[in-house]
Amino acid sequence: MIDKITSQANITSMLQTLRAYQSEAGGGMGLPAVDKEKAVPKTDFGDLIRQTIDNVNEKQKTAKDLETAYMRGEPVPLTDVVLAMQKSSLSFEATLQVRNKVLKAYEDILNMPV
């Protein structure tokens, strides 16, 4: 039994099997090659906040448009309306919680003794 586990062919076979499972779990895309210079794009914190708020705003607009279309009697499934409204609500609540945490951290820093 120990010979089967430690033979080079069995180890190679097991590694290939693990890589195949890893590829399946990753959606068949495999692991991306990591390039040190291109791994993390430089993004300004303000830009990230702006993009997030724009994304939340877009979800709210979509939900509102679907709601008004449904109320006018257009052929919009009610499930689409409810899902859009829930996505909008969740994204707004998450953004609100992040804002509260940032403000709390800012207040804590201001109140630190120097």
Side-chain angles (χ1 to χ4, degrees):
M1 181 73 175
I2 293 176
D3 293 334
K4 290 181 182 177
I5 294 174
T6 58
S7 73
Q8 185 64 28
N10 286 335
I11 292 173
T12 305
S13 173
M14 183 58 75
L15 284 173
Q16 289 175 347
T17 304
L18 288 173
R19 286 187 183 114
Y21 288 148
Q22 183 180 22
S23 175
E24 285 179 26
M29 296 172 48
L31 294 176
V34 177
D35 186 7
K36 298 273 184 201
E37 296 174 3
K38 297 179 183 177
V40 179
K42 302 290 181 187
T43 307
D44 188 25
F45 181 72
D47 290 338
L48 288 175
I49 297 296
R50 190 173 303 107
Q51 289 172 1
T52 303
I53 291 173
D54 289 343
N55 187 11
V56 170
N57 188 36
E58 187 63 35
K59 287 182 182 181
Q60 288 179 337
K61 285 181 182 178
T62 302
K64 187 66 175 169
D65 291 344
L66 284 174
E67 179 186 7
T68 46
Y70 181 77
M71 293 178 117
R72 279 184 278 171
E74 294 180 15
V76 178
L78 180 60
T79 54
D80 290 350
V81 176
V82 172
L83 283 173
M85 292 174 74
Q86 286 298 316
K87 285 180 184 178
S88 170
S89 176
L90 283 173
S91 61
F92 179 76
E93 288 295 325
T95 305
L96 186 65
Q97 291 300 320
V98 169
R99 182 207 63 152
N100 291 342
K101 295 285 184 180
V102 169
L103 285 176
K104 176 74 170 115
Y106 180 74
E107 289 173 354
D108 289 346
I109 290 171
L110 281 179
N111 292 330
M112 278 184 178
V114 179

